[in-house]
Amino acid sequence: MASPPDTSKTVKLERYNSYVRRLHLTKLLHSSSKLFFRATILIALVLIFFLTLNHPPLFDNSPPHHHRHALLSTSLFSSIGGGASWEKQLRHSATPRRSNGFTVLVTGASGFVGSHCSLALKKRGDGVLGLDNFNDYYDPTLKRDRQKFLQKHQIFIVEGDLNDTPLLNKLFDVVPFTHVLHLAAQAGVRYAMKNPQSYVASNVAGFINLLEVCKSANPQPSIVWASSSSVYGLNTEVPFSESDRTDQPASLYAATKKAGEEIAHTYNHIYGLALTGLRFFTVYGPWGRPDMAYFFFTKDILQGKAIDVYKTQDDKEVARDFTYIDDVVKGCLGALDTAEKSTGSGGKKKGPAQLRVYNLGNTSPVPVGRLVSILENLLNTKAKKHVIRMPRNGDVPYTHANVSLAYKDFGYKPATDLASGLRKFVKWYVSYYGIQPRVKKETRFNNAHSEESS
């Protein structure tokens, strides 16, 4: 029987060839990986170079219109410290031009009240530095346009969040603020049912974070901050006075504002911070907030859309103490002018410090139906009204401010009736949005004026 053929050499040869193929493949993959890595690095460098040329610098005075997430923005500011050019902008904006002028940090400076107060302070010679996170609770384009308007008056606004402690510390390191006008907040009663966390983050945590930085500043600034008429909640005593009970909030928004008043008391008591709270009553006017009734009523009436006009659960008219923006600004500046110095140093209280709270209202509640009638006259357009009962969403049916305390302490005296104020608002609205409606340019409201100024 013949012996089987010797295949050992063939097997060895096949194994060797297989090894060589694997070796070549490994070398090829290794070479390809190097080539791919180098190509990736090259592409990344090209992209960085392209973005550097085409993207506006981080601290440019003309930020892009699109919304930038606040946490991203503030982390970038904090991580790089701003730089010399940025710090120079801060100091230039915050340096007062009048003798003994204030150096004021205005939070929420691109907001409705914040932008008006910033401009008023700057015009009288105070130094102003703004802080705003440009959130998208309402259209950020309006906030950006307010920012552009303030830039023309050399008011610089830092894009940042109240909860960014390194950023706040940096601002206080660069600028020795004498005062803080704290107007940043998550506003709106109804939105709290959709996003309650935003109210806690801004109105409670953000306020505490700001006070923590202020208590450690040297010198400590005096602080004026925005509370709200909403703190009166279910109170039935009218007109609302600062001595009335405020422990029955009707909404989460009101609860966070009331919490702010208690937090202010704590920081005043422990750290000697001088604090003044201002309870605003339905502020309206040019550059106002689109989520407010007078604003979206105007929009819907012009577009021929129906508007919801609320009545109470017992079929009474809902009424508000509408307060024109110029009157509120005078109140804010009056509170700043009469604010005493904080008494703490290095986070330790040295003596008793000022603690105050005031109503800033118009003292003349107007039914919402009357508001609609005035707008119909100004817009020369009949509104399509849908009268419904007020939903149980935290809104209160009636507000009425007693402002005698503010008048006594800093001469606060509202001077603008609703018809006059709405006329100014409508004039701004049609100009800002480029609308050519059948608006009455010189409509007179003699009867309305006599009724509402009485």
Side-chain angles (χ1 to χ4, degrees), residues 10-51:
T10 303
V11 171
K12 289 180 179 179
L13 183 61
E14 287 180 358
R15 288 177 179 173
Y16 176 76
N17 289 336
S18 177
Y19 168 77
V20 171
R21 285 195 299 270
R22 289 198 303 270
L23 183 62
H24 286 168
L25 181 60
T26 302
K27 289 181 178 180
L28 180 62
L29 289 173
H30 184 65
S31 299
S32 300
S33 297
K34 282 186 175 181
L35 182 62
F36 178 78
F37 176 76
R38 290 170 181 169
T40 303
I41 293 295
L42 180 61
I43 292 171
L45 290 173
V46 170
L47 286 173
I48 291 172
F49 179 74
F50 176 81
L51 289 172

Side-chain angles (χ1 to χ4, degrees), residues 226 376 445:
E376 287 176 322
F445 290 90

Side-chain angles (χ1 to χ4, degrees), residues 229-237 240 245-251 254 394-398:
S229 62
S230 294
V231 300
Y232 290 108
L234 302 179
N235 172 56
T236 56
E237 297 290 330
F240 299 163
R245 65 182 298 182
T246 54
D247 60 349
Q248 295 178 302
S251 65
D395 260 341
V396 294
Y398 186 85

Side-chain angles (χ1 to χ4, degrees), residues 159-392:
E159 184 172 351
D161 194 89
L162 288 171
N163 289 294
D164 189 339
T165 305
L167 174 62
L168 291 182
N169 283 327
K170 181 67 179 177
L171 297 182
F172 277 80
D173 286 343
V174 174
V175 178
F177 297 109
T178 61
H179 296 74
V180 172
L181 181 57
H182 175 47
L183 302 173
Q186 177 57 63
V189 170
R190 298 175 193 133
Y191 184 63
M193 300 182 74
K194 297 180 180 178
N195 188 4
Q197 289 81 5
S198 65
Y199 290 79
V200 177
S202 179
N203 302 356
V204 179
F207 189 30
I208 290 175
N209 200 51
L210 176 64
L211 294 178
E212 280 289 308
V213 174
C214 288
K215 84 176 188 189
S216 302
N218 191 15
Q220 289 179 337
S222 302
I223 303 165
V224 175
W225 69 284
S227 184
S228 170
S229 62
S230 294
V231 300
Y232 290 108
L234 302 179
N235 172 56
T236 56
E237 297 290 330
V238 290
F240 299 163
S241 298
E242 292 86 349
S243 57
D244 291 343
R245 65 182 298 182
T246 54
D247 60 349
Q248 295 178 302
S251 65
L252 178 62
Y253 168 69
T256 60
K257 284 299 186 178
K258 177 58 181 175
E261 292 188 359
E262 301 305 318
I263 290 165
H265 178 276
T266 302
Y267 276 79
N268 168 267
H269 174 68
I270 298 176
Y271 302 109
L273 286 173
L275 283 141
T276 301
L278 302 176
R279 294 172 177 169
F280 295 156
F281 282 71
T282 317
V283 188
Y284 74 99
W287 293 99
R289 281 173 28 207
D291 65 313
M292 301 289 285
Y294 72 94
F295 200 112
F296 60 74
F297 279 178
T298 300
K299 176 184 176 183
D300 290 344
I301 290 172
L302 287 173
Q303 294 180 353
K305 296 180 180 178
I307 60 173
D308 290 335
V309 179
Y310 292 144
K311 60 181 178 180
T312 65
Q313 294 295 323
D314 52 356
D315 290 331
K316 293 181 180 179
E317 282 197 277
V318 173
R320 290 286 182 270
D321 199 346
F322 295 100
T323 313
Y324 189 64
I325 182 62
D326 289 359
D327 292 327
V328 169
V329 170
K330 290 176 184 176
C332 290
L333 269 59
L336 286 168
D337 289 340
T338 55
E340 297 175 0
K341 292 184 178 180
S342 295
T343 63
S345 178
K348 294 183 179 180
K349 183 178 180 179
K350 301 295 183 181
Q354 185 184 56
L355 180 66
R356 308 179 294 173
V357 64
Y358 296 101
N359 289 336
L360 293 187
N362 193 51
T363 74
S364 301
V366 178
V368 174
R370 177 64 185 148
L371 164 74
V372 175
S373 296
I374 296 172
L375 287 175
E376 287 176 322
N377 248 313
L378 287 168
L379 301 172
N380 199 23
T381 305
K382 192 69 175 175
K384 299 175 182 177
K385 288 175 280 191
H386 183 211
V387 181
I388 58 174
R389 281 190 172 86
M390 178 181 286
R392 300 185 185 279

